[in-house]
Amino acid sequence: MEKIKIGLALGAGGARGMCHVGVLQALEENGITPDLITGSSMGAVIGGAYASGLDVEHIMALTRSVNNHLIRDLHIRLKQLGIFKGRRVEKLFNRHIGDATFEDCKIPFACTAVDVESGKLKLFTEGHLWKAIRASMSIPVAFQPVEIDGRLYMDGGVLCRIPIAQIREMGADVVIAVDALGSLSSGKRPNGILDMALRFYDILDWAYSRHRLQGADIMLTPSVERSIMDFQKVRPVIDAGYQCTMDQMTEIKKAVAAAEEKKLSEAAAKAAEDATNSAQL
């Protein structure tokens, strides 16, 4: 019987998306390895790094470096398309991932971005991994968009908070999805232009996404309270992802077992049908 495919769909969330590291850690401890991974925005960063072969400890080191690289990359001009150039973050990805392509990934991986000019969602499945990841994490206003093959791309979370449908199309039998943002909270009054832009983005995102977060067998929503641009002290965010996953581990294992049973039943039915057809010949 063909082995079932476990899909892990990691959602957008900026700094909150660091919870994905804890999710991976908890799954590993319980012997659950995803066969397919999709990611959007920070989900693309963590998912792409893991799919490329980096272990959880290595990814933790990568995420801890993000904040310092952002601060040193701050450069505002009215005509530029984002507050952060993202050049230092690109170099950080290059240092950890190198020239790896999607085809080099140890686990099949795809990530989303949005074509700035056409307004359409793009699913990246080939080419250089780091560049597609950088495009997927380009939060509007915060990061400058990325040009790939003559097209400008921004954050995949603008149109696809969590790539659930995409991982189903890739062949996942069981989908574990991680929503790092959760439902819209009342929050606090924005402090400055970046805070205001991010709050605006949060409201639009929730209005667009709340009816589209369907189709997962397991939805993990770690409890994280912080700005999506606050990359300092990421350990509590990682721990939240770990704890949320451990809390639902029984349900995760039940979903995997149910998919295995379904696959076994389908294989038995197919064998019986083939036997009947052969007997009639």
Side-chain angles (χ1 to χ4, degrees):
M1 182 189 74
E2 184 183 350
K3 179 182 177 293
I4 67 163
K5 292 182 179 180
I6 300 172
L8 182 62
L10 303 179
R16 295 185 192 182
M18 301 294 187
C19 67
H20 298 319
V21 178
V23 172
L24 289 168
Q25 186 177 15
L27 292 175
E28 277 192 358
E29 287 181 9
N30 284 272
I32 298 174
T33 303
D35 301 289
L36 305 163
I37 301 176
T38 55
S40 182
S41 198
M42 184 54 73
V45 176
I46 306 298
Y50 192 74
S52 74
L54 299 188
D55 59 29
V56 171
E57 291 300 323
H58 196 154
I59 295 171
M60 283 185 189
L62 168 62
T63 56
R64 289 191 188 103
S65 302
V66 170
N67 190 59
N68 288 335
H69 283 73
L70 285 179
I71 292 171
R72 292 159 62 189
D73 213 21
L74 182 61
H75 185 68
I76 301 176
R77 290 181 181 174
L78 291 179
K79 289 189 177 182
Q80 70 186 40
L81 301 180
I83 294 173
F84 298 103
K85 286 184 176 181
R87 301 273 175 80
R88 293 182 184 275
V89 173
E90 289 176 9
K91 289 179 180 178
L92 180 66
F93 290 164
N94 247 325
R95 187 161 69 247
H96 287 267
I97 299 174
D99 290 328
T101 65
F102 282 83
E103 293 78 11
D104 295 326
C105 286
K106 292 177 172 54
I107 299 172
F109 172 71
C111 65
T112 61
V114 175
D115 187 311
V116 173
E117 295 163 83
S118 72
K120 294 180 179 179
L121 188 69
K122 166 76 173 178
L123 184 69
F124 284 99
T125 58
E126 58 184 20
H128 282 100
L129 195 57
W130 72 267
K131 200 158 192 177
I133 290 172
R134 171 65 181 84
S136 185
M137 63 163 282
S138 298
I139 299 171
V141 180
F143 286 100
Q144 292 186 22
V146 175
E147 184 173 338
I148 300 176
D149 296 330
R151 308 293 297 181
L152 276 182
Y153 291 98
M154 62 181 173
D155 197 303
V158 170
L159 292 180
C160 181
R161 182 191 282 199
I162 313 173
I164 297 171
Q166 289 78 3
I167 205 163
R168 284 287 188 198
E169 291 172 4
M170 290 170 66
D173 297 296
V174 180
V175 174
I176 302 168
V178 187
D179 184 4
L181 292 172
S183 58
L184 183 69
S185 62
S186 58
K188 61 180 181 180
R189 181 173 293 189
N191 180 24
I193 188 170
L194 182 56
D195 263 4
M196 185 63 203
L198 293 175
R199 182 58 178 170
F200 169 72
Y201 177 72
D202 280 347
I203 294 169
L204 283 182
D205 171 64
W206 178 241
Y208 182 82
S209 298
R210 58 182 172 173
H211 301 304
R212 293 172 170 81
L213 300 180
Q214 307 293 326
D217 297 285
I218 299 291
M219 177 65 78
L220 302 175
T221 309
S223 179
V224 181
E225 294 293 334
R226 68 166 59 198
S227 164
I228 65 173
M229 293 302 292
D230 180 5
F231 288 91
Q232 298 184 41
K233 297 181 180 178
V234 299
R235 185 74 248 183
V237 184
I238 293 171
D239 289 345
Y242 177 86
Q243 190 59 53
C244 177
T245 309
M246 293 300 290
D247 289 344
Q248 292 200 49
M249 189 53 65
T250 299
E251 295 305 312
I252 292 171
K253 290 181 177 180
K254 282 181 181 179
V256 172
E260 289 173 338
E261 185 176 345
K262 180 181 178 183
K263 181 79 78 173
L264 185 61
S265 296
E266 290 174 349
K270 180 66 166 58
E273 181 183 351
D274 290 344
T276 299
N277 291 337
S278 296
Q280 291 174 348
L281 292 176

